[in-house]
Amino acid sequence: MRRWVTCSPVDGWVVDLLGCAPLAVRAVKEAARESAHLSLPEAFAGTYPWEQRRRHSRDAQEGPTAFAEKRRPQWTGA
């Protein structure tokens, strides 16, 4: 049995990332990959399909709702 022990700032960052909404992580990865060669204004002006999906998802509503209710969000990926 393996046990994961956090011992560095990177490990803490990974734990935080794993708690994020999967749609948000996918949208960020897509935007970073697709805009790496663009200038900053061009990247911000770009359209990214996973970001559009994330913006109109139930998860986009769940994050602020969970924050207002002082509870952990329940991500569904929908």
Side-chain angles (χ1 to χ4, degrees):
M1 175 188 273
R2 292 182 132 186
R3 196 171 155 197
W4 185 28
V5 177
T6 60
C7 59
S8 76
V10 173
D11 292 335
W13 181 80
V14 169
V15 170
D16 289 344
L17 186 60
L18 291 172
C20 294
L23 284 176
V25 173
R26 189 165 188 168
V28 168
K29 286 172 57 178
E30 176 192 49
R33 184 179 58 252
E34 298 297 322
S35 66
H37 66 284
L38 302 174
S39 69
L40 195 54
E42 290 173 319
F44 277 120
T47 302
Y48 307 100
W50 278 101
E51 173 57 14
Q52 294 299 317
R53 183 174 176 184
R54 184 212 59 84
R55 290 176 75 190
H56 300 289
S57 70
R58 280 183 249 144
D59 283 356
Q61 297 171 353
E62 172 62 9
T65 300
F67 179 80
E69 295 174 357
K70 299 182 190 312
R71 62 174 174 80
R72 293 181 61 93
Q74 300 298 310
W75 307 124
T76 64

